[in-house]
Amino acid sequence: MIGSIPRVESGSITIEKASKKRKWREQITAKVNHILIAQGWLFYITGFLLGRAVILQTVSPFAVAFIASMWLVHREKSFRSMIAVILGALTYSMQHVAYIFIAFILFIFISAATKSLKHQQWMLPITVFFATSLPRMFLYSLQGTISSFEWMMLAVEGVLGAILVLIFMQSIPLLSPKRYKPTLKSEEIVCLIILIASVLTGFIGWEVYGASLEHVFSRYFVLVFAFIGGAAIGSTVGVVAGMILSLANVVNLYQMSLLAFSGVLGGLLKEGKKPGTAVGLLIGTGLIGVYGESVALLPSLTESLMAVLLFLMTPASWLEQIARYIPGTEAYTNEQEQYSQKVRNVTAKRVEQFSDVFQALSKSFAVTDRTLSDEKRDEKRDTDYFLSQVTEKTCQDCFLKNKCWQKEFDKTYSLMETMKQNITAGQEPHRNVVKEFENHCVRSRQVKEAMQSEMSFYKANQQLRQQVTESKRLVSDQLQGVSDVMNDFAKEILKERQHHELQESQIIQALKQMGIELVRLDIYHLEKGNVDIELTTSFYEYHGEGEKLIAPVLSELLDEMIVVRNEDISSFPYGYSHFVFGSARDFEVETGAANAAKGGGLVSGDSFTTIELGAGKFAMAISDGMGNGKRAKEESTETLRLLQQILQTGIREKVAIKTINSILALRTTDEMFATLDLAVVDLHNASAEFLKIGSTPSFVRRGNSMIKIEASNLPMGIIQEFDVDIVSEQLKPNDLLIMMSDGIFDGPKDVENIDIWIKRKIKEMDTEDPQEIADLLLEEVIRTRSGDIHDDMTVLVAKVKKNTPKWANVPVRQEKLLSM
């Protein structure tokens, strides 16, 4: 029987092959990295080439500087690196081998002699100076008297060695597999280029088909860095490499011009990918070859073509890996964004963990609603404890104790429990119960007195337990509030700038039709009610175009009212001006305030404030410190300061007020109390919440009608725990909210019904200006007392208005943007 052959999709085969190819490439790359870096072969090859590096015909400062850096950074590989350097020197000349060998012996001797000294890293350049110059002095002395030129050359060699060791100390760690820094500084890039150029010097004298290898590899590295970093990095590599090669061989002096010019051209043409950068090198080679008579054009083009071939064969993954460390490249930017994202994620995770901790603490302090059986059990236990205290004082030495508490336990317990319940309720025990108990107990009078005496302790314990329960509930609410704030903060951290390419193009086109050219446009949010847009443009003379033109255009496109949140206008023509646009609130609040101190003094015990909260909320508050003068002023000011700081963190109003009350109640033993009258208006829908702590009523004037808002709570700080009553009211456009301290509400003299009087005075006012209403109401109250200010007085008036922009939308031929 022939079974059916399963069909395999070609797409899955292609994906599988690509996956295998990618794994194979990753394995090869990992193996090469392990051999070159982990096992140190890259250092040995570098040492071999630096062993051959000679400049100015006789000067060789590279070898000792390299070994000194290896001794400092990778001491375990320094001995093998010495052998590699000596092998490289063998390919140059025996005299050079002798110089390198003596220099190494002297370096080891000086390093061992200075091993006990501190700050060996700072001693290293001095050690290299002597280890480089003294062997050269010894070799010169063997040939006869040292000439002044030779003295100068050995001094130059020592100074160059000391400088190179400082450069190599920064370059060699960059090749380490355990490098954690994600970017390179400019100084590190230059040091790495100098190291590469020094290594290229070791290729001098080697040729392949008439092409000098130092020229091939120098042009190859110029191509690589020009392609990765652009014209600036490419020209820098060209100048440094050309200078060092020209020092090694004066014939290579033209290489500085060729490499620098090729680096600039290659960087400028890198938009054409690898072929574009290669064309830049070929153009530079051709121009320099035609210009210089000493330059053979054909061999130079051959060297450039070989460099181009190596460059084209270089895997893109290698170039991308290098680009991650070069500032300004796309790979570097992506690396930075990934690093920033990782930091944001870690930070948000930690904040969420703290939020969970506070939430767990909140749950541990939370007071659960007890069942009826639990309450009965607790009451039974408290009764047993109460009666045990009473019987200990009265029944222990009674001769009828066994009869009452053993033979007639139920009756005795029932009678005493009934009497205890009556006393707890603040009543005298019932006559029938007392009579029955007197017939039952020979010490009934002593028992009754003991129960009344013990009742004070019983009630104190009950009150203390209730306070502990309320304190635990408050702590639970506070911890939960902190947890919520931290959780919201973690979500804000994770918010990133979203990409709105379609919306950006529509905004740019719409503004361009009006003659406004944008320099920069950033769209962060397009959510309804939470639009956040920043843009930069230029004007010859600014005449309010941001508010008059740009904001209406954005409002038309987004189908939402957009206003200018912030603007930074350039002070000179055609300078860059920066604007921040955001969603306008549906309502706005205009306020006015008036106050007067007792007796016309300068210091009032009342304080008031208006607070712009997040999420489109506006808060108004009046606090009246008990008494008058400086002490009351300090108390009311401190109350409002705490309120503002806590509310701006995002904690709910009710929890904030309870927290302030705890602080005021616990921070001092003095009787310092303060009232608080708080109104929070939601600017999105004009709904208002009123929290009144020991404060006077507030009034809302809506046309010809008046609405009274009041609540009954004690002033803050009198008791440690209390319930906060929240009164809600839906405000409407043009409503006037009048808040006042007790100096205003209780101020009118010879007025029987103050509510009616205040309502009538407010309704009779012809103005709707909040400041005028506040001034007129304060004046009316003072007039009733013939100019006498008997108490601190404060009036705070707010008018709720529909938010209408100053400039209407400008119709444009553009489809409205879709919110993301």
Side-chain angles (χ1 to χ4, degrees):
M1 180 177 179
I2 301 176
S4 60
I5 300 176
R7 185 178 64 180
V8 180
E9 298 291 340
S10 60
S12 62
I13 296 177
T14 304
I15 294 174
E16 185 178 356
K17 288 183 177 179
S19 177
K20 290 182 178 179
K21 186 177 181 181
R22 184 173 61 255
K23 290 182 179 179
W24 176 74
R25 188 187 303 116
E26 291 176 354
Q27 290 176 355
I28 293 179
T29 303
K31 187 66 175 178
V32 171
N33 289 336
H34 178 74
I35 294 174
L36 291 180
I37 298 178
Q39 294 185 358
W41 282 98
L42 180 61
F43 301 116
Y44 307 149
I45 295 172
T46 301
F48 179 84
L49 294 174
L50 289 178
R52 301 187 73 257
V54 177
I55 60 175
L56 301 177
Q57 296 182 351
T58 58
V59 176
S60 179
F62 305 103
V64 180
F66 174 73
I67 294 301
S69 301
M70 289 294 297
W71 177 81
L72 180 67
V73 180
H74 296 289
R75 187 168 301 186
E76 71 282 0
K77 299 181 177 66
S78 58
F79 179 73
R80 295 180 181 178
S81 299
M82 284 185 185
I83 297 176
V85 171
I86 294 175
L87 292 176
L90 283 172
T91 63
Y92 189 80
S93 67
M94 292 304 299
Q95 184 179 0
H96 187 56
V97 173
Y99 165 73
I100 295 294
F101 185 77
I102 297 174
F104 285 169
I105 296 297
L106 186 59
F107 171 77
I108 295 173
F109 177 77
I110 298 176
S111 298
T114 59
K115 184 178 181 180
S116 59
L117 298 178
K118 296 182 179 179
H119 307 294
Q120 292 188 21
Q121 184 174 351
W122 297 104
M123 290 293 298
L124 200 59
I126 300 175
T127 303
V128 172
F129 175 82
F130 287 109
T132 304
S133 57
L134 292 180
R136 187 69 67 184
M137 183 190 305
F138 173 73
L139 293 177
Y140 282 157
S141 63
L142 294 179
Q143 300 175 359
T145 306
I146 303 176
S147 64
S148 57
F149 176 77
E150 291 174 339
W151 279 108
M152 182 189 70
M153 293 302 293
L154 65 89
V156 168
E157 191 168 16
V159 171
L160 287 177
I163 295 174
L164 284 173
V165 75
L166 296 175
I167 295 174
F168 291 167
M169 282 166 56
Q170 297 187 62
S171 304
I172 292 177
L174 304 180
L175 306 177
S176 173
K178 296 182 180 180
R179 174 179 165 78
Y180 298 105
K181 291 178 61 179
T183 60
L184 296 179
K185 296 184 293 185
S186 300
E187 297 82 359
E188 293 177 331
I189 294 176
V190 174
C191 292
L192 184 60
I193 293 172
I194 293 176
L195 174 62
I196 293 174
S198 302
V199 172
L200 293 177
T201 310
F203 286 103
I204 293 179
W206 289 352
E207 294 184 356
V208 176
Y209 297 107
S212 300
L213 290 184
E214 72 272 16
H215 296 167
V216 174
F217 283 104
S218 62
R219 297 175 193 185
Y220 168 75
F221 282 111
V222 168
L223 284 172
V224 169
F225 282 96
F227 179 73
I228 292 173
I233 299 294
S235 60
T236 303
V237 174
V239 169
V240 174
M243 180 187 67
I244 295 179
L245 289 177
S246 61
L247 289 175
N249 190 351
V250 71
V251 179
N252 295 330
L253 186 60
Y254 75 95
Q255 290 289 329
M256 186 185 301
S257 302
L258 189 152
L259 295 176
F261 187 53
S262 300
V264 172
L265 287 179
L268 294 176
L269 297 176
K270 73 171 188 174
E271 296 299 327
K273 305 301 180 182
K274 284 185 178 181
T277 305
V279 169
L281 174 63
L282 295 177
I283 293 175
T285 304
L287 291 176
I288 297 298
V290 172
Y291 173 76
E293 297 181 355
S294 60
V295 181
L297 180 58
L298 186 58
S300 183
L301 282 176
T302 303
E303 293 166 350
S304 296
L305 288 173
M306 295 177 66
V308 168
L309 182 62
L310 288 175
F311 175 64
L312 296 177
M313 293 173 58
T314 303
S317 59
W318 293 10
L319 299 178
E320 184 178 356
Q321 192 75 10
I322 299 174
R324 292 168 51 192
Y325 300 97
I326 307 299
T329 62
E330 183 178 356
Y332 169 83
T333 304
N334 295 334
E335 184 77 13
Q336 290 296 101
E337 290 180 354
Q338 292 178 4
Y339 179 75
S340 300
Q341 179 64 37
K342 183 179 180 181
V343 172
R344 283 197 299 269
N345 293 339
V346 172
T347 305
K349 186 66 176 177
R350 293 296 301 274
V351 174
E352 287 178 353
Q353 290 175 351
F354 282 118
S355 176
D356 294 339
V357 170
F358 281 105
Q359 188 172 15
L361 291 174
S362 173
K363 291 180 179 179
S364 66
F365 280 98
V367 179
T368 58
D369 295 333
R370 296 188 300 175
T371 62
L372 184 61
S373 59
D374 294 334
E375 293 179 356
K376 289 183 177 180
R377 184 174 60 252
D378 293 342
E379 185 179 356
K380 181 71 174 177
R381 185 179 64 251
D382 293 340
T383 301
D384 292 344
Y385 180 78
F386 174 80
L387 295 180
S388 66
Q389 296 294 323
V390 173
T391 56
E392 183 179 357
K393 297 178 181 179
T394 58
C395 299
Q396 288 297 327
D397 56 350
C398 180
F399 65 95
L400 294 177
K401 178 177 68 174
N402 294 333
K403 172 180 176 297
C404 295
W405 290 105
Q406 292 184 5
K407 298 179 180 180
E408 300 180 359
F409 175 83
D410 293 338
K411 183 178 181 180
T412 306
Y413 187 91
S414 176
L415 290 171
M416 294 184 68
E417 183 181 16
T418 305
M419 294 175 62
K420 176 256 181 187
Q421 292 175 352
N422 293 334
I423 296 175
T424 303
Q427 303 172 357
E428 286 292 328
H430 196 273
R431 286 182 300 174
N432 295 334
V433 176
V434 173
K435 185 176 181 180
E436 185 178 0
F437 186 71
E438 289 176 351
N439 295 331
H440 178 76
C441 178
V442 296
R443 294 186 176 182
S444 58
R445 184 177 58 83
Q446 292 90 332
V447 170
K448 182 179 178 181
E449 291 176 355
M451 292 180 70
Q452 291 177 340
S453 174
E454 190 68 26
M455 185 56 63
S456 59
F457 298 102
Y458 176 79
K459 290 183 177 180
N461 290 334
Q462 291 292 103
Q463 184 178 5
L464 179 61
R465 179 178 300 172
Q466 183 67 22
Q467 288 180 350
V468 170
T469 302
E470 293 297 329
S471 298
K472 290 173 65 178
R473 182 180 288 111
L474 174 60
V475 171
S476 175
D477 293 341
Q478 291 171 339
L479 292 174
Q480 184 62 43
V482 173
S483 175
D484 294 340
V485 171
M486 297 186 74
N487 192 33
D488 293 339
F489 180 57
K491 294 178 181 178
E492 287 294 328
I493 292 175
L494 293 176
K495 284 186 178 179
E496 299 181 27
R497 178 183 177 273
Q498 300 179 6
H499 297 284
H500 306 278
E501 297 179 358
L502 176 61
Q503 290 79 1
E504 287 180 0
S505 64
Q506 291 176 338
I507 292 174
I508 292 172
Q509 183 179 355
L511 295 178
K512 189 175 182 180
Q513 292 177 2
M514 305 184 65
I516 300 176
E517 295 286 346
L518 297 183
V519 178
R520 180 183 178 90
L521 174 63
D522 293 318
I523 300 177
Y524 293 96
H525 298 288
L526 285 181
E527 293 87 353
K528 205 73 172 178
N530 192 30
V531 172
D532 188 5
I533 299 175
E534 296 184 11
L535 61 85
T536 303
T537 185
S538 61
F539 300 99
Y540 179 74
E541 289 184 1
Y542 183 70
H543 299 288
E545 285 83 356
E547 182 182 12
K548 300 174 183 178
L549 297 178
I550 302 177
V553 169
L554 295 177
S555 300
E556 178 72 15
L557 294 173
L558 299 174
D559 193 21
E560 182 180 354
M561 190 183 301
I562 305 298
V563 295
V564 179
R565 292 276 183 82
N566 188 22
E567 59 182 15
D568 184 11
I569 308 302
S570 175
S571 58
F572 53 88
Y574 293 117
Y576 292 148
S577 300
H578 183 71
F579 299 89
V580 178
F581 296 90
S583 298
R585 309 304 182 193
D586 294 334
F587 296 88
E588 60 181 355
V589 176
E590 181 183 354
T591 60
N595 64 340
K598 181 179 180 180
L602 299 177
V603 180
S604 173
D606 296 347
S607 297
F608 65 91
T609 186
T610 58
I611 311 169
E612 279 280 358
L613 302 178
K617 289 187 177 182
F618 185 83
M620 300 171 291
I622 297 177
S623 180
D624 181 8
M626 291 299 166
N628 308 103
K630 184 178 179 180
R631 188 69 181 275
K633 179 69 174 179
E634 291 176 356
E635 194 63 22
S636 62
T637 303
E638 178 69 8
T639 300
L640 293 185
R641 185 187 66 83
L642 292 172
L643 176 68
Q644 180 170 350
Q645 291 180 343
I646 295 175
L647 287 181
Q648 287 179 339
T649 62
I651 293 179
R652 292 178 290 113
E653 294 83 2
K654 189 173 182 178
V655 177
I657 290 178
K658 284 192 173 184
T659 303
I660 296 172
N661 180 75
S662 300
I663 295 173
L664 295 179
L666 297 176
R667 69 176 185 173
T668 179
T669 58
D670 298 337
E671 293 186 353
M672 295 177 60
F673 314 124
T675 66
L676 179 63
D677 193 358
L678 173 65
V680 181
V681 181
D682 192 333
L683 299 180
H684 292 294
N685 54 19
S687 63
E689 291 185 344
F690 298 88
L691 293 88
K692 294 183 171 294
I693 312 299
S695 60
T696 58
S698 298
F699 298 90
V700 175
R701 190 179 95 174
R702 181 174 299 161
N704 294 324
S705 63
M706 296 291 297
I707 303 173
K708 183 181 179 181
I709 300 171
E710 60 182 340
S712 57
N713 290 313
L714 291 173
M716 305 181 71
I718 290 182
I719 57 176
Q720 293 189 5
E721 308 300 334
F722 65 102
D723 291 327
V724 179
D725 295 332
I726 299 178
V727 180
S728 300
E729 182 67 32
Q730 180 61 51
L731 302 181
K732 296 182 179 180
N734 299 320
D735 279 358
L736 286 166
L737 170 62
I738 299 94
M739 303 168 61
M740 63 193 72
S741 64
D742 57 352
I744 295 291
F745 189 77
D746 300 330
K749 187 177 181 182
D750 300 328
V751 176
E752 294 183 2
N753 195 321
I754 297 178
D755 283 359
I756 296 177
W757 184 87
I758 290 180
K759 289 180 180 179
R760 179 172 57 83
K761 289 296 182 182
I762 295 175
K763 287 174 64 176
E764 291 176 352
M765 295 180 185
D766 295 333
T767 179
E768 290 190 353
D769 182 79
Q771 186 60 51
E772 293 180 1
I773 293 176
D775 294 334
L776 289 173
L777 185 57
L778 178 64
E779 183 179 354
E780 288 288 345
V781 174
I782 296 176
R783 282 180 183 275
T784 61
R785 291 185 172 270
S786 301
D788 179 34
I789 304 176
H790 77 291
D791 194 6
D792 298 325
M793 300 181 180
T794 300
V795 186
L796 186 58
V797 182
K799 183 178 181 180
V800 179
K801 300 189 299 183
K802 190 71 176 177
N803 188 16
T804 304
K806 185 177 180 181
W807 301 91
N809 294 350
V810 177
V812 293
R813 294 181 179 179
Q814 185 74 30
E815 295 182 359
K816 295 178 180 179
L817 301 184
L818 298 176
S819 298
M820 295 298 289

